[in-house]
Amino acid sequence: MTDQQGTKKSVRKAGLLSLIPGLGQIYNGQLLKGILYLLITCGFIIELVTVGIPAFQGFITLGTVPIRDHSLFLLVKGTLQIIMTFIYLMVMLLSISDARQVAKRWNQFGKVNRSASSMLKNVWENGFPYLLTIPAYFVMLFVIVFPVLVTLFMAFTNYDFYHIPPAKLIDWVGLQNFFNMFFLSSYRATFVTVLGWTIVWTFLATTCQIVLGILTAVITNQKFIVGRRLWRIIFLLPWAVPAFVTIMSFSNMFNDSIGAINQQVLAFLNDIPFLHIQDIPWKTNPFWTKTALIMIQTWLGFPYIFVMVTGVLQSIPDDLYEAADIDGANFVQKFTKITLPMILFATAPVFITQYTFNFNNFSIIYLFNSGGPGDVGGGAGATDILISWIYKLTTGTSPQYQLASAVTIVISIIVIGISLFAFKKTHAFSNEEMM
Amino acid sequence: MKKLLSSRKASKSFNRFFTYLFLVTLSVIIIYPLLITAQSAFNNTNLAAFSLDLNMHWTLDNFRQLFTETLYLTWFKNTIVIAIFTMIIQVTIVTLAGYTYSRYRFKGRKNGLIFFLIIQMVPTMAALTAFFVLGLIINGLDHFWYLTMVYVGGGIPMNTWLMKGYFDTIPRDLDESARIDGAGHLRILCQINLPLAMPMIAVQALWAFMGPFGDYLLAAFLLRTPSNLTVAVGLQQFIANPTNQNVSMFAAGSFLISIPIVLLFFFLQRYFQSGLTAGGTKG
């Protein structure tokens, strides 16, 4: 104790020693903490030698002997090992920054915490935010980051129906898949067609649901309406009933020959004088399938917007409208000058997430008509959006995981790019530092 | 003056007429498809397609058949178990993380959250095989806990963001005064902030609970044994199989799961507005 009191600790040395986590702490005199870090290090090294290094080797070669080596398993295990190594590197960084800080405190105060209880207390006091977020990060690492990494890696392999492990090996092929996607005419044609409809779908379906949501909220919010609660409950129903139930019901109702829409609704409308509508080929004509899909998504999605916009409307102070009344503003002016700007200001970020949601809205496309009718090449139907095409590419009789992954990477870049741009424009991130 | 007043009156009743016309039309469009599905559940003729039939014979045969001849009750029980665990784990994780992001300033805070918000936009459809292989490696395939963890993980980023937004609207003065009075981290969280965040927690719980009832894809992919399926996957078989379609039974099964969810939804509905507008509008 006495000899340590006088000597200064070198911050640099403490940090460098912690390249082997634990040594820096021991140098600082925090034996217990040091041993804890060392134990973690030992555990990782043992893991690395027994499992990790073979995993990395397997990841690089993706197997050398068919049957014995299962390329897909090697790819997955390699990815998991990369995540493990990343976690260990984070521990190492933590150890280094901790050792440096403690060394600084040595130099300032001449002593540091050493007992187990004071150490725990320190973790509780200063590490509290980390303790609370670690579960979230841990789960996300395996459920979100892991599959994204595997997708990313698969996009650079030749994993398709010619190369199904373990009978065949998978190999790294570099940028070949991306090259094929943009330059091989058959792939490119499908990609462009599907992308085109995906964009049209996203734009029309989302815009329709936002417009209907705002319209319904504004109309329902008028003061004279009797039974406002009841109307609101009705308008929430499409959100409350599980979506797969309603989508499958709609799928049945839109059947060309026996569905209720053609049999009942159109028959009913035809009773109106001078109106005559033929049976509509909802499921066999691409145009009508698309129309039906957009109508159904509008039906499904507007309540969410409706609830949110109603909340915003109720928070707009009445005196704004009273002032407008005095100035002689009419309904349209009040709406475009007060109501709409308030709604857009408050909910723009949510609208953006609605667009990205529909861009990847798999269940409606798949459950309504399995992406059909017809075939636009590459296994995609006329109403397949990118995400359902990817699903078909990976689950069909002749799966093409490599292409599916490459498509995923490309659309991810598009979606992320656009939403980052949109978030920036709407200042969703910027106002958060104001508090 | 009189003329102006009467024209005002006319435009007012004009407005009322169209308002109610809109409300009624929209209600009909919403209720009609739900009604014919619900009604088909009680129809005793083996239907090929739903239709609204006011003269049909009402029966409970479809429900009896559902309980005795199919695994519906088992599927229902499975889904409830998965939904409850998903709800508990996800809400706990999301509440803690959202609170931390709202109240504490720490290294890696902003980048961490934005990173996960962005990376969750990458569709994991192509990596379903990866989940499959991971399930084989850690022996999670066909097990509920594995599916539950996948549901939980997928819901974290967006919901943490919403939760953080909600905590942001709770004034900090309370925290400060409690801290001056000597309250620790845990006390400030549990006794001050959690009770105030209850509306948002209720909304989150409902969403997390509803997730497994609505998901078809992951459950179909990660569960194998017929007695391990969830309701969505099970019911889909009644309507998707072209050779052995049973529309009435699908309707009956759908009716049964929709009722509790809709009731729960409306029971918690009053929290929605505050939860959504506070959490959502902040981004």
Side-chain angles (χ1 to χ4, degrees):
Chain A
M1 193 71 181
T2 42
D3 58 341
Q4 282 172 345
Q5 210 111 50
T7 54
K8 291 259 175 196
K9 297 282 176 191
S10 153
V11 175
R12 215 178 117 81
K13 209 167 168 188
L16 279 177
L17 274 172
S18 268
L19 279 177
I20 298 169
L23 289 189
Q25 280 72 20
I26 292 172
Y27 168 75
N28 283 335
Q30 295 180 309
L31 195 62
L32 207 68
K33 204 197 254 175
I35 289 175
L36 219 72
Y37 270 117
L38 273 180
L39 278 179
I40 295 177
T41 306
C42 285
F44 178 73
I45 288 173
I46 292 171
E47 197 271 349
L48 194 66
V49 171
T50 53
V51 187
I53 290 174
F56 278 131
Q57 277 168 346
F59 181 76
I60 291 165
T61 60
L62 288 183
T64 44
V65 185
I67 307 295
R68 193 201 71 186
D69 295 338
H70 192 301
S71 302
L72 185 59
F73 272 69
L74 293 176
L75 183 72
V76 168
K77 282 179 176 164
T79 311
L80 288 174
Q81 189 60 39
I82 290 173
I83 294 178
M84 293 271 282
T85 313
F86 174 77
I87 295 176
Y88 178 72
L89 286 179
M90 290 316 261
V91 172
M92 195 159 114
L93 281 180
L94 187 72
S95 156
I96 292 175
S97 107
D98 170 79
R100 288 174 63 94
Q101 265 177 16
V102 172
K104 271 182 202 155
R105 218 172 310 142
W106 250 116
N107 299 340
Q108 247 180 342
F109 306 111
K111 61 177 180 162
V112 290
N113 299 324
R114 275 197 240 172
S115 67
S117 68
S118 64
M119 200 174 98
L120 278 177
K121 201 172 159 222
N122 190 32
V123 168
W124 180 254
E125 282 301 321
N126 298 322
F128 195 71
Y130 294 101
L131 288 179
L132 290 193
T133 43
I134 278 177
Y137 280 117
F138 186 76
V139 177
M140 285 193 289
L141 211 48
F142 283 96
V143 178
I144 297 177
V145 175
F146 162 73
V148 169
L149 281 180
V150 173
T151 310
L152 181 69
F153 295 142
M154 279 199 310
F156 296 97
T157 67
N158 60 358
Y159 182 21
D160 59 11
F161 56 94
Y162 295 116
H163 304 86
I164 298 286
K168 295 276 169 56
L169 292 171
I170 305 174
D171 279 312
W172 296 108
V173 294
L175 291 168
Q176 188 65 45
N177 298 315
F178 296 94
F179 186 82
N180 287 349
M181 204 163 91
F182 292 114
F183 297 107
L184 214 64
S185 59
S186 60
Y187 282 164
R188 193 182 56 199
T190 312
F191 181 72
V192 169
T193 315
V194 176
L195 180 67
W197 159 237
T198 309
I199 291 170
V200 171
W201 150 259
T202 310
F203 183 75
L204 286 182
T206 320
T207 309
C208 284
Q209 80 191 46
I210 289 175
V211 168
L212 185 62
I214 293 180
L215 193 67
T216 315
V218 171
I219 289 180
T220 319
N221 205 42
Q222 294 176 102
K223 291 222 164 53
F224 63 84
I225 290 174
V226 184
R228 230 193 293 183
R229 251 184 85 81
L230 180 72
W231 296 112
R232 289 220 171 115
I233 286 183
I234 294 174
F235 297 155
L236 278 186
L237 275 172
W239 189 10
V241 179
F244 85 95
V245 169
T246 39
I247 297 171
M248 285 193 238
S249 300
F250 273 122
S251 172
N252 185 285
M253 288 168 58
F254 276 94
N255 188 301
D256 286 1
S257 51
I258 53 171
I261 300 287
N262 277 348
Q263 294 293 312
Q264 281 194 316
V265 179
L266 291 186
F268 175 77
L269 288 178
N270 282 340
D271 285 345
I272 301 169
F274 310 116
L275 200 64
H276 188 73
I277 308 169
Q278 296 281 324
D279 275 8
I280 293 173
W282 294 111
K283 292 278 193 78
T284 43
N285 180 321
F287 173 77
W288 288 111
T289 315
K290 289 174 180 177
T291 312
L293 280 168
I294 291 170
M295 291 196 299
I296 296 170
Q297 181 55 37
T298 309
W299 189 94
L300 281 169
F302 91 89
Y304 183 74
I305 308 289
F306 165 71
V307 171
M308 192 164 291
V309 172
T310 302
V312 177
L313 289 179
Q314 287 170 350
S315 71
I316 301 178
D318 278 341
D319 32 337
L320 270 182
Y321 291 106
E322 281 157 19
D325 280 336
I326 293 168
D327 290 348
N330 62 22
F331 178 78
V332 177
Q333 283 171 327
K334 278 190 280 185
F335 180 76
T336 52
K337 292 287 191 300
I338 302 174
T339 317
L340 202 59
M342 287 293 253
I343 294 172
L344 290 181
F345 175 74
T347 53
V350 181
F351 291 169
I352 298 166
T353 59
Q354 289 293 301
Y355 281 97
T356 53
F357 170 79
N358 272 332
F359 191 87
N360 287 328
N361 194 342
F362 168 79
S363 41
I364 186 166
I365 304 287
Y366 182 72
L367 292 178
F368 183 70
N369 202 18
S370 310
D375 185 8
V376 294
T383 61
D384 263 320
I385 55 174
L386 286 167
I387 194 80
S388 60
W389 182 39
I390 291 171
Y391 178 78
K392 284 184 176 172
L393 282 176
T394 55
T395 53
T397 44
S398 46
Q400 290 180 280
Y401 300 96
Q402 96 290 25
L403 184 61
S405 305
V407 173
T408 307
I409 299 300
V410 171
I411 66 175
S412 303
I413 292 171
I414 298 173
V415 172
I416 291 172
I418 291 176
S419 19
L420 271 187
F421 177 74
F423 275 129
K424 269 236 163 73
K425 277 270 170 210
T426 57
H427 306 292
F429 290 134
S430 59
N431 67 358
E432 80 124 354
E433 281 304 326
M434 276 171 15
M435 299 105 29
Chain B
M1 192 64 198
K2 220 173 184 182
K3 208 175 167 191
L4 193 75
L5 262 178
S6 76
S7 90
R8 257 215 173 151
K9 223 173 189 178
S11 90
K12 224 174 195 176
S13 53
F14 189 71
N15 176 30
R16 280 184 194 206
F17 172 74
F18 276 102
T19 299
Y20 281 111
L21 184 69
F22 176 86
L23 294 179
V24 170
T25 315
L26 189 59
S27 301
V28 169
I29 294 173
I30 287 171
I31 290 174
Y32 173 74
L34 297 175
L35 194 65
I36 69 171
T37 311
Q39 201 206 18
S40 305
F42 297 95
N43 199 328
N44 73 342
T45 41
N46 193 6
L47 296 170
F50 300 139
S51 67
L52 196 62
D53 178 3
L54 297 174
N55 304 317
M56 67 163 211
H57 295 281
W58 294 77
T59 171
L60 292 174
D61 271 5
N62 297 318
F63 293 97
R64 204 171 36 77
Q65 212 182 343
L66 202 60
F67 291 147
T68 53
E69 290 168 28
T70 72
L71 290 164
Y72 184 76
L73 280 179
T74 321
W75 297 336
F76 204 112
K77 200 193 74 205
N78 295 343
T79 318
I80 296 266
V81 170
I82 295 174
I84 287 179
F85 277 101
T86 306
M87 179 179 80
I88 295 173
I89 301 172
Q90 182 171 318
V91 170
T92 311
I93 291 182
V94 163
T95 308
L96 293 181
Y99 174 73
T100 313
Y101 276 112
S102 167
R103 285 299 192 271
Y104 293 93
R105 296 292 174 268
F106 52 96
K107 230 188 220 170
R109 168 178 173 275
K110 197 174 176 183
N111 290 336
L113 196 58
I114 293 178
F115 172 73
F116 278 105
L117 257 190
I118 287 169
I119 203 162
Q120 56 113 30
M121 289 177 193
V122 180
T124 46
M125 196 67 73
L128 279 178
T129 359
F131 277 127
F132 191 82
V133 173
L134 181 66
L136 277 177
I137 292 174
I138 61 175
N139 192 24
L141 225 51
D142 210 17
H143 285 290
F144 294 162
W145 65 264
Y146 187 56
L147 185 62
T148 306
M149 284 331 276
V150 175
Y151 284 147
V152 170
I156 291 177
M158 200 59 215
N159 289 319
T160 302
W161 191 246
L162 288 174
M163 193 57 113
K164 173 199 164 289
Y166 194 83
F167 275 115
D168 283 346
T169 65
I170 301 176
R172 277 141 203 267
D173 323 2
L174 293 171
D175 300 17
E176 290 305 324
S177 45
R179 191 164 291 132
I180 291 165
D181 289 346
H185 290 297
L186 214 55
R187 253 179 99 97
I188 295 176
L189 169 62
C190 297
Q191 293 191 344
I192 295 177
N193 282 299
L194 280 192
L196 288 173
M198 264 309 157
M200 191 58 181
I201 293 176
V203 174
Q204 296 259 345
L206 177 70
W207 285 346
F209 186 82
M210 277 169 71
F213 281 93
D215 171 68
Y216 166 77
L217 181 71
L218 282 169
F221 210 82
L222 296 179
L223 299 175
R224 300 274 128 171
T225 335
S227 65
N228 273 352
L229 300 182
T230 59
V231 179
V233 185
L235 284 181
Q236 204 259 356
Q237 298 172 345
F238 292 148
I239 203 162
N241 187 349
T243 55
N244 187 22
Q245 215 176 27
N246 197 330
V247 175
S248 316
M249 219 130 92
F250 168 80
S254 304
F255 183 76
L256 277 186
I257 63 162
S258 300
I259 292 302
I261 290 186
V262 170
L263 287 180
L264 205 63
F265 196 90
F266 286 115
F267 181 68
L268 293 175
Q269 195 255 117
R270 64 206 168 95
Y271 292 134
F272 274 37
Q273 238 144 50
S274 59
L276 268 182
T277 39
T281 53
K282 283 272 175 165

